[in-house]
Amino acid sequence: MDNPQKFSNSKEVIGFLVDQFPACFSNKGDAKPLKIGVFQDLAERLENDDRVSKTLLRSSLRHYTNSWRYLHSIKKGAQRIDLDGKDVAAIEDEHVEHAKKQLDESKAKVAEQRKELKAAGADVKPSYKKKEAPKFKPTSKVVIKEQVKVKQPPAERLEQEHIVAGTSVTVKIGKSPMPATITDVSKDGIQVQLDTGMVVKVQLENLRLARSKR
C-alpha cells in the first residue's frame, strides 16, 4: 500500500481540516470561534494520519486563528465550539479585547504597506481573501540577545523555470524586499501575493528568488 503524501504547507492542512471537520472549520464565509485546547483535540483525532505533522498542524492552526475572518468571529456573546461544532464555552471579554487589538494592528500594518506600494507605483489590488495576519506577539517581556549580522549572498534572479504560479519570491518595493508568492503570469506583468495577503502586479526586474530556509 502506498504511503499517503504528507502535506507541505498550511493551505493544504487547512483545506484538509475543512473537509474532515466541516462543523468546526471553514475556508469561506463566517468563521466560528474554536474551543481553547482544540489543538490537542486535533492531535488526538489525527494521531494515526501520517499526512500532517504536529509542527505543521500547530502552525496551520495559528495561521487560521490569526486571519482577519477568524478574528472578526471573536466577539461578545459568541460561543466557542469543539471539532463537532458543539458549543463548549462563551468567549471571555479579555479574548474579545485581544482579538480586536490584534485585528486593528494588522489592518493598520496592511494600510501602511498599501500606501507604500502605491507610492512606489505598484499595481495594488484590494483583495485580502487570503490575508495572513502577523504572528501572535507574546505580551510577556523577553530579553533579545544582540545579533551578529552575517553578510548574505546576493538574491538570485528568476530563471524562466521559476516564473510560474507558486514560486516563492521577494518583491523589491519600498524600503526593503517583501516575501511573496507568484499567483499569475501575464504579458503585462507578474502578479504576486505578499505574506500580508495584498495582491500586486510587478515587473520581472523587481523580483528575486526567495532563499530557501535551512
Side-chain angles (χ1 to χ4, degrees):
M1 181 176 178
D2 294 336
N3 291 327
Q5 186 174 0
K6 289 188 176 182
F7 298 122
S8 60
N9 55 58
S10 293
K11 182 179 179 180
E12 292 179 352
V13 174
I14 291 174
F16 169 71
L17 295 179
V18 172
D19 290 337
Q20 294 295 311
F21 309 102
C24 181
F25 293 93
S26 66
N27 51 20
K28 58 183 178 180
D30 295 333
K32 298 176 182 179
L34 305 178
K35 66 169 285 190
I36 303 298
V38 72
F39 169 77
Q40 188 58 41
D41 293 347
L42 282 169
E44 292 176 1
R45 293 274 192 104
L46 303 175
E47 184 178 4
N48 297 321
D49 197 315
D50 296 330
R51 289 173 292 178
V52 55
S53 66
K54 285 188 176 181
T55 300
L56 183 55
L57 177 63
R58 189 185 298 278
S59 63
S60 300
L61 192 60
R62 187 183 303 116
H63 175 126
Y64 185 84
T65 57
N66 280 339
S67 69
W68 288 8
R69 190 170 63 91
Y70 182 83
L71 292 174
H72 274 298
S73 75
I74 308 300
K75 52 191 176 184
K76 193 170 184 178
Q79 288 281 326
R80 293 186 180 277
I81 61 171
D82 62 15
L83 294 179
D84 299 313
K86 297 179 181 178
D87 293 346
V88 293
I91 295 177
E92 299 180 9
D93 290 344
E94 62 181 293
H95 295 163
V96 175
E97 290 299 318
H98 176 74
K100 183 179 183 303
K101 181 180 178 182
Q102 200 173 351
L103 185 60
D104 289 344
E105 289 177 351
S106 178
K107 286 186 175 182
K109 182 176 180 180
V110 169
E112 181 62 29
Q113 286 186 333
R114 183 180 175 85
K115 182 179 178 181
E116 186 174 308
L117 287 166
K118 280 190 173 182
D123 181 10
V124 182
K125 293 188 177 182
S127 172
Y128 302 103
K129 292 181 180 180
K130 297 181 181 179
K131 169 69 182 65
E132 290 185 25
K135 293 182 179 180
F136 170 74
K137 296 180 180 179
T139 54
S140 58
K141 294 183 179 179
V142 295
V143 177
I144 301 177
K145 295 182 179 180
E146 183 178 357
Q147 297 180 346
V148 178
K149 292 185 177 180
V150 178
K151 188 176 181 180
Q152 297 288 346
E156 297 181 31
R157 289 180 176 273
L158 267 67
E159 300 296 338
Q160 190 62 40
E161 65 266 23
H162 299 142
I163 309 175
V164 293
T167 299
S168 296
V169 296
T170 58
V171 187
K172 187 179 180 183
I173 299 176
K175 298 179 181 178
S176 58
M178 298 180 184
T181 303
I182 294 178
T183 57
D184 188 50
V185 179
S186 61
K187 293 180 179 179
D188 59 339
I190 300 174
Q191 182 174 289
V192 301
Q193 182 176 14
L194 304 181
D195 278 4
T196 58
M198 188 180 299
V199 176
V200 299
K201 182 169 286 186
V202 296
Q203 298 303 312
L204 177 60
E205 58 266 23
N206 292 325
L207 297 178
R208 293 292 184 273
L209 188 64
R211 298 189 183 93
S212 60
K213 296 181 180 179
R214 297 185 179 181

